[in-house]
Amino acid sequence: EVQLEESGGDLVQPGGSLRLSCAASGFTFSSSWMYWVRQAPGKGLEWVATIKADGIWKYYVGSVKGRFTISRDNARNSLYLQMNTLRVDDTAVYYCVKDVPGSGWSFDCWGQGTLVTVSS
Amino acid sequence: QSALTQPPSASGSPGQSVIISCSGTSSDVGGYDYVSWYQQHPGKAPKLMIYEVNKRPSGVPDRFSGSKSGNTASLTVSGLQAEDEADYYCSSYAGNNVIFGGGTKLTVL
């Protein structure tokens, strides 16, 4: 069974940093593109970042470029999101997501999400 | 890039059919056959219902179907059931990024 489990969400002050982690199991993590998608309270879904299977190519939504870094450790089946210079509008549930291979970034498995709250 | 445009709400009675639209541009919906639809119940993670415009993942009832014409995609839910009441989001690949719609709250009357 495919499983994704996020951790690391917390309350942080504006300008602060946080690192989210995602533990993956039940599929060949090292061959899978991985993603972070977020959802602000009461709002819709927003794609945040993508990392290719080999960890070399990475893509970000414009609002987080230069502040967030997606990374992975294929030996540990783990995905990460380093978030720096956090802003109030980064407050959201962050989901670790896996795609349907070759499907144009269609997301078939989601973690339960971890809540990041940015507030003073 | 702007979010895809969905109606904020839709409704239907049990057994009826409902169509939810998702409007984009030639840079996203119209440019790729990579439209997906997600169902989200309150407090839960989204669930993939349709991918690549009209493909259903294993386990998704065939009451759910997708289509696309030009820059607009649609999700049809036939034979509405009470458990279909949820938020529905469309998404489209847009060239090294993905854009979501604002979501549609489907109410089963």
Side-chain angles (χ1 to χ4, degrees):
Chain A
E1 180 192 4
V2 175
Q3 287 194 329
L4 298 168
E5 184 170 355
E6 306 92 340
S7 60
D10 205 347
L11 170 64
V12 61
Q13 292 190 337
S17 297
L18 209 55
R19 188 195 197 206
L20 305 183
S21 299
C22 171
S25 61
F27 64 103
T28 307
F29 180 80
S30 58
S31 301
S32 300
W33 290 46
M34 295 296 298
Y35 308 78
W36 289 98
V37 174
R38 69 184 177 183
Q39 186 171 33
K43 302 296 184 183
L45 301 169
E46 181 182 38
W47 164 74
V48 174
T50 298
I51 186 167
K52 277 188 70 173
D54 59 10
I56 295 177
W57 290 100
K58 306 173 185 182
Y59 306 97
Y60 300 92
V61 68
S63 59
V64 310
K65 278 181 186 174
R67 301 189 300 122
F68 289 13
T69 301
I70 188 172
S71 63
R72 64 192 297 160
D73 184 338
N74 286 343
R76 295 177 183 269
N77 286 352
S78 293
L79 177 71
Y80 307 101
L81 186 68
Q82 177 66 43
M83 303 186 294
N84 298 330
T85 318
L86 281 160
R87 310 190 305 217
V88 171
D89 62 359
D90 293 319
T91 295
V93 173
Y94 285 73
Y95 293 101
C96 168
V97 179
K98 168 194 164 298
D99 73 352
V100 178
S103 69
W105 300 19
S106 297
F107 306 134
D108 67 342
C109 185
W110 300 62
Q112 84 286 353
T114 188
L115 177 62
V116 173
T117 303
V118 184
S119 174
S120 54
Chain B
Q1 284 165 301
S2 301
L4 305 177
T5 301
Q6 296 181 236
S9 63
S11 62
S13 300
Q16 288 186 332
S17 294
V18 168
I19 299 175
I20 299 172
S21 62
C22 171
S23 252
T25 70
S26 58
S27 296
D28 38 67
V29 174
Y32 306 91
D33 286 334
Y34 289 135
V35 175
S36 301
W37 289 91
Y38 301 88
Q39 177 192 67
Q40 187 178 35
H41 287 109
K44 301 294 187 182
K47 174 185 177 183
L48 180 65
M49 305 301 283
I50 296 288
Y51 68 102
E52 292 182 23
V53 178
N54 56 16
K55 296 180 180 179
R56 274 188 310 276
S58 174
V60 172
D62 60 6
R63 302 185 294 103
F64 291 86
S65 62
S67 63
K68 190 185 87 165
S69 177
N71 297 337
T72 300
S74 298
L75 172 71
T76 300
V77 186
S78 305
L80 269 176
Q81 298 182 4
E83 60 262 35
D84 299 333
E85 184 161 297
D87 293 326
Y88 290 83
Y89 295 92
C90 63
S91 76
S92 175
Y93 180 73
N96 293 331
N97 72 94
V98 64
I99 302 173
F100 285 95
T104 298
K105 182 175 182 58
L106 175 60
T107 301
V108 180
L109 302 170

